[in-house]
Amino acid sequence: MVVQKFGGSSVEDADKIRQVAKIALEHRIDGKVAIVLSAMKGCTDLLLQAAKDAEAGKQSYLQALATLEKRHLEAARDLAPGPAHGELRKTLETQLRDLREILHGVELVKECSKRSLDLIAGFGERLNCQLMAGYLTAAGYEAHYIDASNHFIITNDHHGAADVDFDATYRAVDARLKPLSGVMVITGFVASTSDGRPTTLGRNGSDYTASLVGAAIRADAVEIWKDVDGVLTADPRFVKDTLVLDEISMEEAMEMSYFGAKVIHPSTMLPLLERGITLRIKNTLNPSVKGTLIKQNPKPHPYPITGIASITGASLINIEGSGMIGIPGFASRVFGALARVNVNVIMISQASSEHSICIVCREAEAPAALAALREELKVEHQAKKLKDCELVNGLEVIAVIGENMRGRPGITGQLFSSLGAKNVNILAIAQGSSERNISFVIESKDREVALNAIHSAFLGTGGQK
Ligand code: ADP
Ligand code: ASP
Ligand code: MG
């Protein structure tokens, strides 16, 4: 069986839902296909805002509810006219009523816990999948609605972006899907703890749901259908003349997504890598294009690099002074302090003189990181062995990625001279020992100039948009 995931932009209205259903039906193997759907475009944002408004006592949450109601009920009218309409409408109205009651509860108690927020955030997926299953049934096909927050994808209680219990999830998914045939319509993004409390996999988490389902049933392949022709060499919103990548390795895909390429959720590849399942990125709007195949041992890529990705809103913290030279355990104290306040370090760079270490993290986490480091290094600072930690905000981490960079001299030189030619100032550089990735930090204002300069230097004629 194939597992297909369709994102928000692929399922934003009745016409697109019809198109998705057509693609899914065409890909049934032995009469079966599993599809994972996101919420209709914009609905998760709307739900999160509604929860915030209800908590603050703002009546605007009712407006959000009306919008959700209109979009789903209109689509239902269009997709399932005639006798089947009443049934589908009733199902959707029941969901919408539950949502209204939950939001009203939030308004009354003036509090929306992270757990409640996970429950609310998942309504977009639940409404959309019930719509799809109702449409397929009305059209005479066998379809099953599966709510992944009902003992299907099992996580811990880290609300907002929970960690998956793989064994429990694989067992639950396999047991649930095995006896079914037809189209299995599964909600992306949502999950639950082992005792049934609602959680989510984090924003854009539906890609991850699809890979978990694929791994659980040892699917023939997992396909992620988007609004682009595949994985592109760079973010098309910033770089002109991007190229569609034919085949890339799982590791390259992981690096690209980890460093901000929004096209795939960063956790997607791991379950598939472990079970040797290939991943294909396809375009719902252009289904005949073959897309990008992500697999182990892809065919070699013709260019020296595979792609470029970037993370906006980064901060750099610089720790400097003689107090760390030759002292074993210094780095572990730094990372220990950051881990205690849950700061995720995107990149580190240490000069070989061991005179300075710089840590890059997301801007939102920088104040906590700075406070934790100051506390940890207080003694060295007071003894004047270290300067006060320095924080710089408003930065961009750029990662240049590709298997071909390994053992190939001259890439770094070419990279930094392309940036030098455009007067882009580089604040820190790091290269992983895998040589599959060179990452560096620049000011955010230089993002487009830098991305386009690198793209033209290595991947052809891209010019700035
Ligand atoms: P979905 O809603 O289907 O999950 P997303 O909007 O989350 O889709 O992701 C697809 C978008 O990711 C594309 O429309 C594109 O603008 C953006 N994107 C960023 N980097 C890349 C890249 N390297 N390749 C393809 N798309 C990218
Ligand atoms: N609907 C969720 C979001 O907007 C999950 C997803 O789209 O993958 O983040
Ligand atoms: Mg997405």
Side-chain angles (χ1 to χ4, degrees):
M1 181 159 56
V2 175
V3 178
Q4 301 181 314
K5 178 261 173 177
F6 298 89
S9 47
S10 302
V11 283
E12 61 185 330
D13 56 28
D15 283 343
K16 294 245 175 91
I17 290 176
R18 253 188 220 102
Q19 164 75 350
V20 164
K22 182 169 173 278
I23 293 172
L25 290 166
E26 280 168 6
H27 287 80
R28 282 172 296 174
I29 298 178
D30 298 331
K32 297 185 192 192
V33 64
I35 61 173
V36 173
L37 303 187
S38 297
M40 282 185 185
K41 192 176 186 169
C43 286
T44 310
D45 289 337
L46 209 57
L47 285 159
L48 295 173
Q49 189 59 45
K52 243 193 213 164
D53 290 351
E55 186 180 29
K58 292 189 200 156
Q59 295 299 301
S60 44
Y61 82 85
L62 294 170
Q63 188 52 49
L65 265 172
T67 306
L68 286 166
E69 200 170 286
K70 185 165 181 285
R71 281 184 73 176
H72 291 90
L73 296 183
E74 257 177 21
R77 252 195 310 279
D78 189 333
L79 291 167
H85 182 242
E87 184 76 13
L88 177 56
R89 189 181 173 95
K90 210 160 76 200
T91 308
L92 296 177
E93 279 174 345
T94 306
Q95 281 287 311
L96 288 158
R97 196 193 54 228
D98 286 354
L99 175 63
R100 181 179 294 270
E101 283 174 7
I102 295 164
L103 286 170
H104 183 52
V106 168
E107 183 191 6
L108 291 178
V109 295
K110 298 183 171 45
E111 199 251 313
C112 186
S113 65
K114 283 184 154 187
R115 182 164 147 186
S116 306
L117 199 59
D118 272 347
L119 174 65
I120 294 167
F123 271 85
E125 273 69 14
R126 283 189 278 272
L127 284 163
N128 207 18
C129 288
Q130 283 175 315
L131 185 59
M132 175 64 88
Y135 164 55
L136 286 166
T137 309
Y141 298 100
E142 181 183 355
H144 303 273
Y145 165 67
I146 292 160
D147 178 353
S149 61
N150 185 10
H151 303 282
F152 190 75
I153 304 286
I154 316 290
T155 66
N156 65 6
D157 63 356
H158 190 172
H159 290 285
D163 305 304
V164 172
D165 177 337
F166 293 95
D167 288 340
T169 297
Y170 291 171
R171 260 183 275 122
V173 170
D174 195 41
R176 186 78 162 275
L177 299 189
K178 209 174 238 152
L180 300 182
S181 53
V183 187
M184 300 155 216
V185 188
I186 303 165
T187 54
F189 180 52
V190 297
S192 70
T193 57
S194 56
D195 56 353
R197 283 169 287 150
T199 57
T200 56
L201 301 178
R203 293 307 305 268
N204 282 309
S206 304
D207 297 349
Y208 190 23
T209 308
S211 89
L212 291 166
V213 172
I217 61 167
R218 297 184 188 272
D220 294 310
V222 172
E223 298 172 353
I224 297 191
W225 292 73
K226 300 258 158 186
D227 59 351
V228 277
D229 281 342
V231 179
L232 304 169
T233 43
D235 190 329
R237 291 166 301 175
F238 308 126
V239 178
K240 195 165 81 171
D241 301 332
T242 51
L243 311 169
V244 181
L245 293 161
D246 225 21
E247 286 189 12
I248 58 174
S249 69
M250 288 273 176
E251 288 79 6
E252 287 174 320
M254 272 193 256
E255 299 262 5
M256 293 228 4
S257 61
Y258 176 75
F259 282 97
K262 201 189 156 210
V263 64
I264 321 171
H265 185 283
S267 305
T268 308
M269 275 63 67
L270 210 58
L272 302 179
L273 187 64
E274 277 171 8
R275 297 213 155 173
I277 300 168
T278 57
L279 174 63
R280 195 179 273 283
I281 309 297
K282 296 266 296 172
N283 191 348
T284 314
L285 311 173
N286 204 2
S288 59
V289 167
K290 72 176 193 285
T292 301
L293 187 61
I294 304 174
K295 58 189 288 242
Q296 278 151 307
N297 306 316
K299 68 173 188 242
H301 184 60
Y303 295 95
I305 69 166
T306 301
I308 317 161
S310 68
I311 300 176
T312 304
S315 295
L316 185 149
I317 301 175
N318 202 16
I319 309 169
E320 200 177 324
S322 57
M324 65 182 96
I325 299 178
I327 299 182
F330 185 81
S332 96
R333 279 177 59 204
V334 166
F335 292 119
L338 294 170
R340 280 193 289 281
V341 288
N342 276 325
V343 170
N344 179 22
V345 177
I346 301 173
M347 180 185 133
I348 48 165
S349 146
Q350 180 172 27
S352 56
S353 67
E354 293 188 50
H355 193 256
S356 75
I357 296 185
C358 71
I359 310 279
V360 182
C361 64
R362 295 193 187 269
E363 230 165 49
E365 295 180 343
L370 187 65
L373 290 173
R374 282 187 170 147
E375 180 58 32
E376 178 66 36
L377 305 174
K378 198 162 61 187
V379 174
E380 285 84 350
H381 180 228
Q382 280 164 358
K384 307 226 176 304
K385 287 185 175 167
L386 290 179
K387 291 189 189 165
D388 188 20
C389 299
E390 184 198 9
L391 171 70
V392 189
N393 288 325
L395 304 179
E396 186 86 10
V397 179
I398 298 203
V400 176
I401 291 145
E403 303 282 358
N404 285 354
M405 298 195 304
R406 277 195 224 194
R408 191 155 167 166
I411 300 269
T412 320
Q414 199 183 343
L415 169 63
F416 293 117
S417 48
S418 72
L419 294 169
K422 297 283 180 189
N423 285 323
V424 175
N425 186 29
I426 296 157
L427 285 86
I429 303 172
Q431 178 170 25
S433 58
S434 70
E435 291 188 65
R436 196 184 288 124
N437 171 337
I438 303 172
S439 38
F440 57 94
V441 180
I442 59 169
E443 288 178 53
S444 279
K445 69 171 175 52
D446 292 331
R447 172 179 58 197
E448 291 197 32
V449 173
L451 291 174
N452 283 287
I454 304 166
H455 201 273
S456 342
F458 291 106
L459 293 159
T461 55
Q464 197 184 340
K465 260 194 168 172

